[in-house]
Amino acid sequence: MTDGNKKVDRSAVGYYGGWIPCSERMPETGIPVLCQWHKRNGLDTEVYFSILHVDDDGKWVADYGMPNGEVVAWMPLPEPYEGGMTE
């Protein structure tokens, strides 16, 4: 992928759009990140995406509780939009 004249490595760890497998690295405690998690339902696997963080016990949690599946990858959230507000 190119960004203007610069080449952007989308697989770079920490680059928005680059998934980081949990088996390679976990995020810092308490920092919200976008997660992909899987839930097995019989023979099928359901895929979910949620904003979660790791608590002090090393468990994935969200405002609504814990996911009922296995978190397999995560990525940092993008910076918030800071453009002008429209009325």
Side-chain angles (χ1 to χ4, degrees):
M1 175 183 160
T2 60
D3 181 13
N5 293 327
K6 298 183 291 183
K7 186 170 182 164
V8 177
D9 181 3
R10 291 188 62 97
S11 65
V13 173
Y15 179 81
Y16 178 69
W19 288 101
I20 303 167
C22 295
S23 60
E24 289 183 14
R25 186 169 69 117
M26 295 292 283
E28 294 179 39
T29 302
I31 304 296
V33 295
L34 178 62
C35 295
Q36 178 178 331
W37 56 282
H38 299 168
K39 176 182 172 185
R40 303 222 185 283
N41 185 5
L43 297 175
D44 296 326
T45 299
E46 299 173 359
V47 177
Y48 295 89
F49 298 92
S50 301
I51 295 175
L52 306 171
H53 68 274
V54 176
D55 68 9
D56 291 332
D57 295 327
K59 296 179 182 173
W60 288 102
V61 295
D63 293 341
Y64 55 82
M66 298 173 65
N68 60 346
E70 176 188 7
V71 178
V72 295
W74 63 276
M75 71 170 67
L77 294 173
E79 293 296 318
Y81 177 70
E82 295 182 14
M85 300 281 290
T86 58
E87 293 183 31

